[in-house]
Amino acid sequence: MSWLPKSAMRPVGTDASHTDCILVVGVSRPKLAVVFLTVMLISLFLTFHVLYDSAVYNIQAAQAVHERHRLSLAASASASSSFSSSSSSSSSSAAAAAAASSFAGGTLNANHLPVFVKPVASSNQLSHPMVFPSSRVHFPKTSRRLPQALIIGVRKCGTRALLEMLYLHPRIQKAGGEVHFFDRDENYLKGLDWYRKKMPHSFRGQITIEKSPSYFVSPEVPERVRAMNASIKLLLIVREPVTRAISDYTQLRSHAATAILPLAESSAPGSGYGAKLPTPKSLYAKLHAAHEYDNALGSGAGAKETLTGSRALGAAARRAAIGTTTPTPTPSAAQLAAKSFEELAIFPNGTVNEAYRPLSISMYHMHLHRWLEVFPREQLLVVNGDRLIEDPLSQLKRIEAFLGIEHRVRSEHFYFNETKGFYCLRYDNGDRCLRETKGRKHPHVDPVVVSRLRKFFAEYNQRFYELVGEDLGWPEE
Ligand SMILES: Nc1ncnc2c1ncn2[C@@H]1O[C@H](COP(=O)(O)OS(=O)(=O)O)[C@@H](OP(=O)(O)O)[C@H]1O
């Protein structure tokens, strides 16, 4: 750029008395000017970036110190009052009711602040791990990532509680609902990109988890999961099989429908307890034939699981038409809903209706077998659902170790809610319990039937213990 000498300026027009003049500014080296301007813009951008950077860091650090402080207060309060449970639990349940849905309600809690916050050098040291040891905050981009871990089931064993409890950990991100990518063809055919878009945003280093309990019992799922990620970590939560079946029945009945396979009758005589155990293959063939029925039942939470009579009956009719099952008259959903668990689980001749869906899902060994044909045992962790109810922390510690993440979920994150009868979660922004569809009151079941079913399951359970290499100690009568 150069200034022209004064002589280069001349009056505009003929009237020299006017002072108007033209200043001509020329750029002698345009390329250099462009470079100069670019450098200016870049430094301007960097200045703003650093300012923004440090502002966000200060906010995060303040929040984390606050959270840490709050947790230590809560811990000391609970230690001193050793559970002011009844009053706090009722207020907590009110808070939970207000929270309306599941534990977290989808809001970010302080634990889910970016995990790269620099620790504060004080006694209030942040509990957030320092991923980047430098003195300034780094901003790794968030993106939607395919899950690195799956809760594959089992339905009614505490899959929702497990996911919400895991979400307490800052390294965990969860898919909000059940995606049913691998078990529903209409979703699977949409491809992995569709699935990825169903995942939450996560930071690098966080683990995304999805849960769809029907994955466990759907035959095509293990191969499909392996095709996506052969080293994925699998979480399987199980519960004492008879209790699980009763829970399943309770849920189905509460939706005014009850699961009974139309082909159940064909397996009635001599196929129940005391008869020769069916092979996993033959049992599985039956389940496979009833797969549509399973989908009609749904396997997720809440209303999705409602079995509409027409849909179930339609599936049964189609199967009958293509000859996959004995064409038996199908009772209406209302008739089924009116039946007791005892009637559905045990035939009048005293044998166990092993094709009754709530029972066949509880035959864990049969389903697990297929998973272990595809995945090595070390890639699967069996979580004890009964223990998760009584002592969630013990199970969460195992899972943290299995997932290779530091122990971050602490007893301060839980409190026992007397009203609900379950542990609820303590977030920085409030206490949350699972909604009322979790922890329903089970109907009274004749102890003779319970004992009969436990005997029936004893051998199946042994096979399951052998597969997982652990005895879960479920009662045998
Ligand atoms: N903390 C806490 N709060 C409430 N409920 C808890 C909790 N921990 C485990 N459970 C048990 O979870 C059972 C429901 O299991 P799922 O979430 O797998 O059900 S579903 O398949 O998704 O419908 C549910 O079964 P039911 O008691 O039969 O309703 C609970 O026993």
Side-chain angles (χ1 to χ4, degrees):
M1 190 190 299
S2 61
W3 292 99
L4 295 177
K6 203 176 173 188
S7 58
M9 285 186 247
R10 62 182 176 76
V12 178
T14 48
D15 188 358
S17 64
H18 287 171
T19 52
D20 295 346
C21 60
I22 295 172
L23 171 66
V24 180
V25 179
V27 179
S28 61
R29 293 189 180 174
K31 279 185 189 160
L32 198 69
V34 169
V35 172
F36 179 74
L37 271 173
T38 313
V39 170
M40 289 274 286
L41 282 174
I42 290 174
S43 13
L44 213 65
F45 171 79
L46 286 176
T47 311
F48 276 114
H49 180 73
V50 168
L51 284 176
Y52 172 79
D53 215 31
S54 65
V56 174
Y57 168 72
N58 285 335
I59 292 169
Q60 289 170 345
Q63 280 177 334
V65 168
H66 171 76
E67 162 67 358
R68 175 85 181 170
H69 191 61
R70 198 192 61 74
L71 281 179
S72 58
L73 280 180
S76 54
S78 69
S80 62
S81 69
S82 93
F83 280 108
S84 55
S85 50
S86 52
S87 62
S88 82
S89 57
S90 52
S91 65
S92 304
S93 50
S101 64
S102 59
F103 280 130
T107 54
L108 265 188
N109 64 59
N111 282 324
H112 285 261
L113 287 173
V115 291
F116 44 81
V117 173
K118 188 182 80 160
V120 170
S122 80
S123 58
N124 253 347
Q125 199 166 42
L126 300 184
S127 52
H128 295 265
M130 185 174 65
V131 173
F132 299 97
S134 75
S135 61
R136 69 182 292 273
V137 178
H138 292 249
F139 282 83
K141 283 203 182 67
T142 64
S143 56
R144 297 181 191 277
R145 294 161 221 266
L146 288 169
Q148 298 100 318
L150 284 179
I151 298 177
I152 57 172
V154 181
R155 169 187 161 93
K156 303 316 296 172
C157 288
T159 53
R160 173 54 60 187
L162 179 60
L163 185 62
E164 299 301 335
M165 288 171 180
L166 277 172
Y167 185 61
L168 288 163
H169 198 292
R171 292 274 301 274
I172 301 292
Q173 281 296 353
K174 58 166 182 150
E178 291 172 10
V179 183
H180 289 281
F181 176 65
F182 297 105
D183 61 317
R184 294 191 182 159
D185 286 346
E186 67 269 28
N187 291 339
Y188 191 66
L189 292 173
K190 287 178 188 154
L192 280 177
D193 210 42
W194 177 88
Y195 187 40
R196 200 175 47 76
K197 286 184 185 143
K198 296 279 169 200
M199 295 300 127
H201 278 273
S202 62
F203 292 102
R204 217 174 325 128
Q206 285 190 311
I207 296 175
T208 300
I209 302 190
E210 191 242 328
K211 81 117 179 160
S212 293
S214 49
Y215 288 166
F216 183 57
V217 296
S218 306
E220 62 283 6
V221 172
E223 271 300 347
R224 287 178 174 183
V225 172
R226 182 170 64 176
M228 178 190 74
N229 179 357
S231 57
I232 196 162
K233 302 217 169 165
L234 306 169
L235 295 170
L236 176 70
I237 179 163
V238 290
R239 217 170 150 188
E240 193 277 308
V242 180
T243 313
R244 196 218 68 82
I246 296 171
S247 169
D248 209 343
Y249 164 81
T250 310
Q251 163 140 314
L252 294 165
R253 198 181 63 165
S254 85
H255 292 143
T258 304
I260 183 167
L261 295 179
L263 46 80
E265 286 80 354
S266 64
S267 63
S271 62
Y273 179 70
K276 197 172 153 287
L277 281 169
T279 62
K281 237 185 180 160
S282 69
L283 264 176
Y284 205 77
K286 288 180 194 173
L287 290 178
H288 190 40
H291 185 232
E292 281 171 287
Y293 193 89
D294 186 38
N295 280 343
L297 284 176
S299 47
K304 277 184 291 172
E305 280 176 286
T306 305
L307 165 63
T308 58
S310 59
R311 205 177 154 194
L313 298 183
R318 274 199 302 283
R319 276 195 301 280
I322 57 170
T324 54
T325 182
T326 318
T328 51
T330 315
S332 74
Q335 280 171 320
L336 288 173
K339 290 199 176 198
S340 66
F341 177 76
E342 291 87 337
E343 282 176 288
L344 292 162
I346 311 279
F347 287 117
N349 69 3
T351 56
V352 173
N353 180 0
E354 63 196 36
Y356 177 47
R357 195 67 171 141
L359 294 184
S360 60
I361 291 177
S362 287
M363 297 169 188
Y364 304 140
H365 74 287
M366 190 173 70
H367 311 286
L368 183 61
H369 207 270
R370 284 174 302 106
W371 283 89
L372 294 182
E373 276 170 5
V374 174
F375 286 98
R377 173 68 188 87
E378 318 78 72
Q379 252 169 266
L380 179 131
L381 184 77
V382 178
V383 180
N384 188 324
D386 300 302
R387 290 230 187 100
L388 189 86
I389 293 175
E390 290 158 15
D391 175 19
L393 205 57
S394 68
Q395 296 306 297
L396 287 160
K397 280 187 176 160
R398 291 180 62 225
I399 301 169
E400 287 171 330
F402 173 69
L403 295 177
I405 52 181
E406 62 281 12
H407 294 305
R408 297 293 299 284
V409 183
R410 310 227 182 280
S411 55
E412 300 95 273
H413 287 119
F414 301 97
Y415 71 97
F416 190 77
N417 185 311
E418 301 281 353
T419 317
K420 186 157 176 72
F422 284 91
Y423 277 98
C424 296
L425 300 191
R426 188 149 274 166
Y427 291 90
D428 58 326
N429 54 357
D431 298 339
R432 311 276 165 84
C433 297
L434 284 184
R435 57 183 172 174
E436 64 287 352
T437 58
K438 311 289 177 184
R440 287 191 184 95
K441 192 171 166 5
H442 293 181
H444 173 77
V445 176
D446 185 345
V448 176
V449 170
V450 172
S451 157
R452 177 124 185 77
L453 289 174
R454 284 189 172 152
K455 277 186 193 145
F456 170 77
F457 273 106
E459 180 163 352
Y460 292 146
N461 293 345
Q462 286 304 327
R463 292 195 198 171
F464 179 70
Y465 301 159
E466 275 163 30
L467 280 180
V468 299
E470 187 192 348
D471 185 337
L472 283 107
W474 290 323
E476 301 200 342
E477 58 184 87

